[in-house]
Amino acid sequence: MGEGRRTILITGASAGIGAALARVCAGRGYDLILTARREGPLQSLAEELSAAYGVAIAVIPADLADPDAPVRLVEAITVRGLAVDGLINNAGFSRTTGFLTTDPADHAAMVRVMLSAPVELSRLLLPGMAARGWGRVLNVASLAGQMPATGGDTLYGPIKSFLIKASQGLWLEMQGTGVHVTALCPGYTYTEFHDVNGSREQVSAAYPKWMWMDADRVARIGWDAVEANRPRVTPGVMNNVLAALGGMLPNTMALKMVGGHARRLDRL
Ligand SMILES: NC(=O)c1ccc[n+]([C@@H]2O[C@H](COP(=O)([O-])OP(=O)(O)OC[C@H]3O[C@@H](n4cnc5c(N)ncnc54)[C@H](OP(=O)(O)O)[C@@H]3O)[C@@H](O)[C@H]2O)c1
């Protein structure tokens, strides 16, 4: 159970891992603020979870690709008289068509949604958490961020590497404040992610079911890790083996490994 009435802000809560994290947090007694672009799924989830667990849930739609969105979101939260005790930076997407053929606007949106918005929301909300002596920040990164590169979705891996390193730096800085910080690094997870980037057919053909995890399990592992204040967690044995290989292999061999992966998915 959450201690007292504590409120967790979850970005990208309209689907996938974000919606699963909302279920986990509501089940543990936390009040929630849910955000994403699509209001309908957020409202349905809020109704389902407040009925099931008796928690208070606010829905505030926002497009995090908009540079003003983090400030406006925090203003909207403040106007409602809410304080944010936990932040889950989860919203994200990828483009797999190669660097030169990806719309520059999509590149900019990737950087804003998965890198700038988490940094800005953390900077806006961490002071309050530290002042109150309790906080949780869970940054949903990726196994891709533990690899030397991602081919075809060129910026995705580096953005997630950034998020892992920034989380670990914050974890160090927040020691003794009561604020826990964790980077969650899922591997292949069943969500809308691969439908949105148009690679469902390729990833399903290339990787067998046992390499995939369901979003509920990933969410439970992620939330348990931030409660335990682990700086980084990679769910699943196979994903941990791959992460270890990515870190241990000489760079040229690791690049060959991720190049093979990208070719199997027709991304190179
Ligand atoms: N699925 C995987 O295999 C996998 C593996 C590793 C890491 N991840 C990471 O897990 C996180 C969640 O992804 P998922 O797998 O759950 O994918 P998903 O089912 O497609 O959900 C993505 C969420 O992000 C939101 N989002 C996307 N663009 C947004 C924007 N411009 N502004 C606000 N919200 C936005 C979407 O909501 P709206 O469309 O309503 O805005 C949705 O709620 C991402 O950061 C992803 O990189 C996924």
Side-chain angles (χ1 to χ4, degrees):
M1 281 291 285
E3 298 165 40
R5 298 238 58 89
R6 290 197 157 121
T7 302
I8 313 291
L9 167 63
I10 306 177
T11 74
S14 61
I17 296 169
L21 278 160
R23 290 197 169 86
V24 170
C25 292
R28 295 185 191 188
Y30 291 102
D31 291 338
L32 302 176
I33 303 164
L34 306 180
T35 187
R37 288 167 302 181
R38 287 170 290 169
E39 190 168 1
L42 292 176
Q43 291 291 3
S44 307
L45 184 63
E47 280 160 30
E48 173 201 324
L49 296 182
S50 56
Y53 300 109
V55 295
I57 306 186
V59 167
I60 307 177
D63 182 351
L64 292 176
D66 176 345
D68 298 328
V71 166
R72 281 212 306 265
L73 180 57
V74 172
E75 279 170 3
I77 291 167
T78 310
V79 162
R80 287 167 189 240
L82 297 170
V84 176
D85 303 297
L87 167 64
I88 301 180
N89 286 306
N90 163 78
F93 67 98
S94 79
R95 289 288 180 266
T96 59
T97 47
F99 187 76
L100 299 185
T101 46
T102 298
D103 187 334
D106 286 346
H107 279 153
M110 285 176 74
V111 172
R112 285 231 55 90
V113 172
M114 293 187 284
L115 194 157
S116 310
V119 169
E120 288 163 23
L121 287 171
S122 300
R123 183 64 186 84
L124 289 164
L125 297 171
L126 271 163
M129 295 184 209
R132 292 187 295 275
W134 195 97
R136 301 287 182 265
V137 178
L138 182 62
N139 289 322
V140 183
S142 174
L143 175 61
Q146 295 177 271
M147 296 294 150
T150 41
D153 48 353
T154 326
L155 297 188
Y156 183 75
I159 288 169
K160 294 301 192 180
S161 297
F162 173 97
L163 204 52
I164 294 169
K165 294 236 168 169
S167 304
Q168 295 185 149
L170 270 179
W171 180 86
L172 284 173
E173 286 186 45
M174 289 296 122
Q175 294 299 297
T177 65
V179 178
H180 297 183
V181 184
T182 298
L184 168 62
C185 303
Y188 281 121
T189 308
Y190 286 118
T191 67
E192 294 179 6
F193 186 83
H194 297 96
D195 305 308
V196 174
N197 73 17
S199 69
R200 172 68 58 206
E201 211 177 301
Q202 290 93 326
V203 289
S204 298
Y207 294 104
K209 286 202 169 114
W210 57 264
M211 288 199 62
W212 291 76
M213 291 179 71
D214 67 70
D216 291 337
R217 187 156 164 241
V218 169
R220 274 196 308 276
I221 290 169
W223 191 256
D224 286 345
V226 77
E227 289 287 21
N229 203 16
R230 293 173 63 189
R232 188 180 75 188
V233 65
T234 303
V237 175
M238 180 48 66
N239 293 329
N240 277 281
V241 170
L242 290 170
L245 278 176
M248 272 166 17
L249 288 175
N251 202 43
T252 46
M253 281 178 74
L255 271 177
K256 272 192 186 147
M257 183 174 88
V258 295
H261 159 83
R263 269 185 290 279
R264 212 168 304 136
L265 298 177
D266 292 331
R267 291 180 189 174
L268 290 180

